[in-house]
Amino acid sequence: MYGKFVERYKRQLLITVTIAIAIAGILNIYQAFFINVTSNDECIWAIKKDSEKGFGIFFSNVKEGGVTDKAGIKNGDMFLEINGETVISPFQAQDILNKLNYGDYVEYTVKRDGEIFKTKVFVKKLYNMRLIAFSFFFFVWLVLGFLTLITKLDGEVQWLFYLIGAFGVLSLVRESFFPMMILIPEPVIPVWAVLSFLYVQILLYVFYLHFFLLFPIRSKLLKFKYLIQLIYGLAFIFAGFMTYNLLRFMNSGGKEPLLLNPDFVLTAIFLFTQVFGVISLILSYLRIKERKMKVPLMIIIVAYIIGISSLFFVSVIANALGLVIYNDPEYFIPVLSIILLPLAFAVAIFKYQLLDVSVVIKNTIFYGTATVSLAAVYLLSVYGLGQSIGAAFGEDYRNIIAAITFVLFALIFQSTKDRFQELITQRFYPEQYYQQQVLSKLTDELSNFVGKANIIAAIQETFIDKIKVERFGIFLKEEDGAFSTASLKGFEDHNFKINSPVNFFESFIFESYTSNKQRVFNHESFDKVFPFDFEKLKEERIFTVIPLIVKRELKGFIALGLKYSGSMFTGKDLELLNFVGAQSAISLENARLYEAEAEKVQFDRDLVLARSIQQDLLPKVFPESEMIQFAGSMIPAKMIGGDYFDVIKLDDFKYYVAIGDVSGKGLSAALYMTKLQTILKLYCSKRREPSDILKELNYNLCDNMGSGWFIT
């Protein structure tokens, strides 16, 4: 019940959840820009051992010429008070400092060489560049993931791409709304909150690994059958261990040390996933041969390398050079370059159709804008025209005339909108428009073709010569349940055959009927449909399969490669391919039935001719004799049969009379009867005893008849 509900309202649920997560993403950006802006005094407060108090807060890394340096504070001075409040910890002092505005002055009480003095420090503001960068990074990724997924709700790669953006946004909530919170529980922070953020980050990294194992092509690592299950299993074990680790720490009141520091471990895992992602992309780039896929992939790789390099710089090189975020914030700006990665995906999706959704997305946005604009024009026209015409008839009839005008425009509006959108498609997306026209024409004309060969030739011509797909094949189901190859074009293996059992395909098709899924499916489902051939299909660059179904019975399928533009069939194309598949299946089935009927008619004609020949072989005129009178006739149970009789005259006083019956009925029996008649007449040409003739007949026929046949 729950599964059916989710399946039925999957799109609505996705939109609702995405809106909620997007709001969190917008709040993350708002927090990074306006709330979590850190006050900065261009130095670092370090906790060090003090001879008097045991431990204290000391100034270090004081920037030369900075606001703290100008206030007379030097490295090694002890920080005692801030605005009259005793400094307990750097977090407490920073919290007080953050409440001040840019340009305010804060009073520091400082101790140097046993002397205490007070000084005013100018307050600067420091943006958290890392938080800003990742807030934009995951928000853009979320939007792209949603646009990618909404057009292909059953795509595994699309789901993973979306989940990276969704969980990335959620993982930043901790840093945006609880900037001082680390993944170590404190009395003021609930354990469930800490664990929730921990689990979100673990899942984020797992989805990231899973995505790059499948994108842009399946990794060779997936030859290990249970690799994906192993990754998720290890993540589950790690989450359990970290839960125990944190609960143990909390329950002991902090006395039991942490076995692993969560922030340190998750940072290490994050770095690993980033390196894995870029290596995976580079290996995929080297494996791919088509330039159309190499270009967008190279854009992503370059953006990825720039982003990783910036992270490496601010995390490692900056520290090695002694650069401090509080003193040298300009050197940490390069971290913003990580935003290039989702932007590179956007270019690859919109311009190069890498994730197979660009046409759909562009049309959705463009057509949506066009429709809204047209609707606005329509409403203004209705209002203005209705009021003008109504005014001519007087106030009493104004509302009635306006209502009539509204109805008339409503009838005109739909066709106008359709023509307008068709014009847009034709003008801005000529390839898609041309394909739609060609496929629509094919569905209209298929019923006019006669003969299976002509239908297959028409379908092949449409996809190869007109739409110019790279590879094309038609496979038909035979009576034994196997697939036979009816047509192949563009395949590297000219003897390509499908070895997978048809029942896998049929079960998948049945599931698509029961769940109302798109019946045209892509290469991501090949491992379920063609368990023995999916690797071969992917090597042949087959990306789309159109089932040929008549009355819920699979008759075969059409296999398609990439379009001329280098993209797969998507969106409205898939709807047309559904119609093409349905009409092709009906036409091929009608052709098969027509051929079967034609064969039956021809067979019946042959039977009539065979009956005539068989009757001609039987005696029409019997020998005349004064001693005996002959007469005979044969009426077979079917058109022809195996019954036989004959009268063979030797002289006026001696005749051979033969009556026979071949086992069975029909054509086979008639053929054996004809053979019997020929041999019998040969043996009866000499004066011999019937018993001798029968013996020779038996010897002759016994070795030349099939098992189970006999003649009496």
Side-chain angles (χ1 to χ4, degrees):
M1 186 73 179
Y2 175 75
K4 290 182 179 179
F5 175 82
V6 172
E7 186 65 36
R8 183 176 181 181
Y9 297 102
K10 184 190 293 184
R11 183 178 294 271
Q12 292 84 346
L13 290 171
L14 174 64
I15 293 172
T16 303
V17 171
T18 303
I19 290 174
I21 298 176
I23 291 173
I26 294 171
L27 290 176
N28 285 343
I29 296 172
Y30 177 80
Q31 289 282 123
F33 268 107
F34 300 104
I35 305 301
N36 293 334
V37 182
T38 305
S39 293
N40 184 29
D41 59 357
E42 297 181 320
C43 67
I44 291 178
W45 307 327
I47 300 176
K48 296 181 181 179
K49 193 170 183 179
D50 178 54
S51 57
E52 298 179 5
K53 295 184 177 181
F55 287 93
I57 312 298
F58 292 85
F59 291 94
S60 67
N61 295 90
V62 175
K63 183 178 182 179
E64 186 176 349
V67 293
T68 301
D69 182 51
K70 289 179 179 180
I73 300 173
K74 305 298 180 184
N75 288 328
D77 290 350
M78 188 174 181
F79 196 3
L80 300 179
E81 294 179 354
I82 177 170
N83 276 352
E85 292 187 32
T86 302
V87 175
I88 300 173
S89 70
F91 297 113
Q92 171 248 356
Q94 187 66 54
D95 185 55
I96 296 172
L97 193 63
N98 286 343
K99 294 176 182 177
L100 301 175
N101 298 319
Y102 177 86
D104 290 344
Y105 280 88
V106 61
E107 184 181 75
Y108 285 178
T109 302
V110 182
K111 181 179 180 181
R112 179 192 301 161
D113 299 329
E115 294 184 6
I116 297 175
F117 64 93
K118 295 184 178 184
T119 183
K120 297 284 187 177
V121 178
F122 183 85
V123 177
K124 283 189 171 184
K125 289 291 183 178
L126 180 67
Y127 286 97
N128 187 336
M129 290 298 176
R130 179 187 169 281
L131 181 59
I132 292 172
F134 277 100
S135 295
F136 274 107
F137 177 92
F138 284 119
F139 182 76
V140 174
W141 197 303
L142 173 69
V143 173
L144 286 175
F146 172 75
L147 293 174
T148 302
L149 180 59
I150 200 68
T151 59
K152 203 169 194 177
L153 284 172
D154 57 345
E156 183 180 10
V157 175
Q158 284 76 10
W159 267 107
L160 290 169
F161 188 70
Y162 169 79
L163 289 172
I164 290 172
F167 277 74
V169 169
L170 295 175
S171 70
L172 290 178
V173 171
R174 170 178 71 104
E175 194 169 348
S176 296
F177 291 88
F178 309 102
M180 305 305 291
M181 172 184 171
I182 57 176
L183 282 177
I184 300 175
E186 297 181 6
V188 295
I189 303 171
V191 177
W192 64 265
V194 176
L195 292 177
S196 297
F197 289 121
L198 174 68
Y199 300 153
V200 165
Q201 286 192 263
I202 292 174
L203 285 172
L204 169 64
Y205 301 147
V206 172
F207 293 145
Y208 205 85
L209 287 174
H210 192 176
F211 173 75
F212 282 104
L213 283 171
L214 297 176
F215 175 86
I217 55 176
R218 289 175 65 88
S219 170
K220 290 185 177 181
L221 293 174
L222 291 177
K223 289 182 179 179
F224 298 100
K225 189 175 181 181
Y226 298 105
L227 178 62
I228 297 297
Q229 292 87 333
L230 178 63
I231 291 173
Y232 281 90
L234 290 175
F236 179 78
I237 294 171
F238 176 70
F241 171 76
M242 292 307 295
T243 301
Y244 165 76
N245 184 32
L246 294 173
L247 291 177
R248 173 176 172 270
F249 176 82
M250 281 292 294
N251 293 334
S252 67
K255 295 179 180 179
E256 293 287 341
L258 287 167
L259 301 174
L260 284 176
N261 184 301
D263 282 304
F264 175 79
V265 175
L266 290 175
T267 301
I269 296 175
F270 169 75
L271 293 175
F272 170 76
T273 56
Q274 296 304 305
V275 173
F276 176 85
V278 73
I279 291 175
S280 177
L281 286 172
I282 293 172
L283 292 177
S284 296
Y285 179 85
L286 296 175
R287 287 175 59 191
I288 292 174
K289 299 178 182 178
E290 290 79 3
R291 185 178 180 276
K292 293 175 182 177
M293 286 193 68
K294 279 180 172 286
V295 173
L297 199 56
M298 177 55 70
I299 294 173
I300 294 175
I301 291 173
V302 170
Y304 208 146
I305 291 175
I306 292 174
I308 286 184
S309 300
S310 68
L311 287 175
F312 181 76
F313 173 79
V314 299
S315 302
V316 180
I317 297 179
N319 290 332
L321 295 176
L323 301 175
V324 181
I325 182 66
Y326 298 106
N327 293 347
D328 310 286
E330 63 276 9
Y331 290 103
F332 292 81
I333 292 178
V335 75
L336 294 173
S337 64
I338 64 170
I339 302 172
L340 291 174
L341 181 56
L343 294 179
F345 269 105
V347 172
I349 290 172
F350 279 95
K351 185 174 181 179
Y352 295 98
Q353 307 175 18
L354 189 62
L355 279 178
D356 190 25
V357 294
S358 63
V359 172
V360 178
I361 295 172
K362 286 191 288 187
N363 281 347
T364 300
I365 297 172
F366 201 94
Y367 286 171
T369 305
T371 303
V372 170
S373 302
L374 196 60
V377 172
Y378 161 70
L379 292 173
L380 291 173
S381 301
V382 169
Y383 179 79
L385 188 61
Q387 293 298 317
S388 300
I389 298 174
F393 285 88
E395 290 295 329
D396 294 337
Y397 299 99
R398 175 174 293 192
N399 293 333
I400 297 175
I401 296 300
I404 294 173
T405 306
F406 181 87
V407 172
L408 290 175
F409 266 74
L411 296 174
I412 298 170
F413 176 64
Q414 184 61 39
S415 60
T416 303
K417 180 180 74 69
D418 292 340
R419 286 197 297 271
F420 182 64
Q421 290 184 341
E422 183 177 342
L423 181 64
I424 292 172
T425 306
Q426 184 177 3
R427 173 65 181 85
F428 294 98
Y429 311 113
E431 182 193 31
Q432 185 194 11
Y433 176 79
Y434 178 68
Q435 288 170 182
Q436 292 175 3
Q437 297 302 309
V438 169
L439 291 176
S440 297
K441 185 179 179 182
L442 175 64
T443 56
D444 294 336
E445 294 181 348
L446 272 175
S447 58
N448 299 327
F449 290 101
V450 177
K452 183 172 73 174
N454 292 330
I455 294 171
I456 292 174
I459 299 171
Q460 177 179 300
E461 180 187 7
T462 297
F463 283 104
I464 292 292
D465 298 336
K466 296 180 179 179
I467 297 180
K468 299 186 182 300
V469 296
E470 294 179 350
R471 288 169 175 80
F472 169 87
I474 294 182
F475 301 85
L476 300 179
K477 179 185 174 183
E478 297 297 326
E479 292 183 0
D480 60 0
F483 287 111
S484 65
T485 305
S487 174
L488 281 183
K489 285 293 179 181
F491 279 66
E492 294 182 5
D493 182 2
H494 301 295
N495 299 315
F496 187 90
K497 293 181 179 179
I498 294 293
N499 300 313
S500 299
V502 73
N503 61 302
F504 283 91
F505 203 149
E506 289 176 329
S507 62
F508 186 85
I509 295 301
F510 178 75
E511 180 186 348
S512 72
Y513 270 100
T514 55
S515 61
N516 294 320
K517 290 181 180 178
Q518 182 78 277
R519 295 186 184 106
V520 177
F521 57 93
N522 63 19
H523 61 291
E524 294 175 355
S525 305
F526 285 177
D527 56 341
K528 303 180 183 68
V529 180
F530 307 107
F532 303 151
D533 303 286
F534 70 94
E535 289 289 354
K536 291 196 304 179
L537 286 166
K538 290 182 179 180
E539 288 175 2
E540 289 287 355
R541 308 288 293 157
I542 295 298
F543 289 92
T544 307
V545 164
I546 312 170
L548 304 176
I549 304 167
V550 178
K551 295 180 179 180
R552 294 204 175 188
E553 182 180 351
L554 180 67
K555 299 296 181 180
F557 65 90
I558 300 173
L560 302 174
L562 296 175
K563 294 187 288 186
Y564 181 74
S565 62
S567 64
M568 294 188 291
F569 290 92
T570 58
K572 198 167 185 179
D573 291 339
L574 298 182
E575 296 176 13
L576 284 170
L577 291 180
N578 260 332
F579 290 120
V580 170
Q583 189 60 50
S584 300
I586 292 172
S587 298
L588 288 169
E589 179 64 8
N590 289 340
R592 186 190 69 80
L593 294 174
Y594 177 82
E595 290 176 0
E597 183 63 24
E599 290 177 359
K600 183 178 182 301
V601 170
Q602 184 60 44
F603 184 70
D604 289 342
R605 289 175 183 170
D606 292 341
L607 285 179
V608 171
L609 179 61
R611 177 189 177 91
S612 176
I613 294 172
Q614 186 181 44
Q615 292 293 337
D616 289 341
L617 292 175
L618 297 175
K620 294 181 179 179
V621 179
F622 292 94
E624 295 182 359
S625 173
E626 296 179 356
M627 297 178 292
I628 188 170
Q629 184 177 3
F630 297 99
S633 178
M634 183 192 72
I635 303 175
K638 295 185 177 181
M639 186 66 71
I640 58 176
D643 296 328
Y644 164 68
F645 74 92
D646 205 351
V647 177
I648 302 171
K649 180 180 179 181
L650 294 180
D651 54 40
D652 292 339
F653 301 99
K654 194 168 186 178
Y655 301 87
Y656 285 122
V657 178
I659 300 175
D661 181 17
V662 180
S663 62
K665 294 177 175 62
L667 184 61
S668 301
L671 292 173
Y672 279 124
M673 184 276 283
T674 304
K675 184 175 183 179
L676 168 68
Q677 184 189 42
T678 303
I679 298 174
L680 184 61
K681 284 193 173 183
L682 179 65
Y683 288 169
C684 291
S685 61
K686 300 176 182 179
R687 295 177 177 274
R688 308 170 73 177
E689 291 297 320
S691 60
D692 295 331
I693 294 174
L694 286 174
K695 287 179 181 178
E696 290 197 38
L697 276 174
N698 191 55
Y699 285 130
N700 189 293
L701 292 173
C702 186
D703 294 334
N704 296 299
M705 289 183 70
S707 60
W709 288 90
F710 62 91
I711 302 174
T712 53

